[in-house]
Amino acid sequence: MKPINITWKEGEEFHEGTAGLNAWHDFQGYGSVEFLTQEDLAIADNMQQWFIDNEKRIYALVCDYVNENYQELLEDSEFLDVFDEDSESYETCVGEVNEADMRAGDIFKLMQLSAFVLHHPDKNAVGMLFECAWDEEHGFGLVIQGDEIISQDGAQVAYRGL
């Protein structure tokens, strides 16, 4: 993976950062992966270093969580209802999928990363936004603090303040 160097642009509600990422480990990016924060940009270097120091742990937590909970996420979404005798595949925001793809739960085919929401390094937390095949309207969001997923829901949950 290429080194991460975030360039920040000050915003009114969220500051936006770009790092030229179109993928993160095995997750494809949904366009260019953004970084967002509400923190003072004076600590941008510290937030970036925290992310670099913790990204392998974060990646492992995301993969483990989604793999362990995928079936429940799929059932809650009622996405499988789109497949019937006339429709063997369905075009989603992450590409065309079929029922076998959905049941197999290949998260790297069914999810694309949109953004990271960085917090003050002392909070030891990050939010993540994904586009996903099973919920195109709301996406999928996670908030990780320490070694735990403390919240998951639609993508908006990733903006949650800590």
Side-chain angles (χ1 to χ4, degrees):
M1 193 173 122
K2 78 179 203 175
I4 295 173
N5 185 24
I6 305 169
T7 302
W8 292 97
K9 179 182 172 189
E10 197 164 326
E12 290 184 28
E13 186 176 357
F14 279 91
H15 308 302
E16 297 179 14
T18 57
L21 295 179
N22 57 9
W24 181 63
H25 296 276
D26 291 327
F27 287 105
Q28 289 300 308
Y30 189 72
S32 182
V33 178
E34 294 182 315
F35 289 82
L36 305 165
T37 191
Q38 288 184 307
E39 303 292 348
D40 184 339
L41 288 181
I43 65 164
D45 289 344
N46 293 339
M47 288 188 299
Q48 178 174 310
Q49 190 59 53
W50 178 88
F51 180 77
I52 290 167
D53 292 346
N54 289 279
E55 75 168 312
K56 288 182 182 166
R57 175 182 60 83
I58 293 166
Y59 176 75
L61 284 166
V62 170
C63 291
D64 289 349
Y65 182 84
V66 176
N67 282 319
E68 289 171 12
N69 294 283
Y70 176 73
Q71 198 60 44
E72 182 180 332
L73 293 168
L74 182 60
E75 289 170 11
D76 288 348
S77 74
E78 298 178 4
F79 181 82
L80 292 175
D81 294 347
V82 303
F83 300 107
D84 57 30
E85 296 167 5
D86 298 328
S87 175
E88 293 182 13
S89 65
Y90 187 79
E91 187 63 37
T92 73
C93 59
V94 299
E96 191 169 324
V97 297
N98 59 41
E99 188 171 355
D101 293 332
M102 294 303 291
R103 292 196 185 279
D106 179 355
I107 63 172
F108 302 117
K109 181 176 183 175
L110 302 173
M111 298 172 65
Q112 293 179 347
L113 180 63
S114 297
F116 293 99
V117 179
L118 300 182
H119 299 280
H120 192 287
D122 291 346
K123 295 178 181 176
N124 195 26
V126 64
M128 298 178 70
L129 291 82
F130 293 91
E131 297 296 322
C132 62
W134 65 88
D135 193 340
E136 292 183 280
E137 184 177 345
H138 302 106
F140 181 67
L142 292 170
V143 178
I144 298 170
Q145 189 168 35
D147 289 329
E148 291 182 63
I149 306 292
I150 62 168
S151 189
Q152 76 80 30
D153 204 344
Q156 292 296 327
V157 76
Y159 294 105
R160 177 182 153 184
L162 299 173

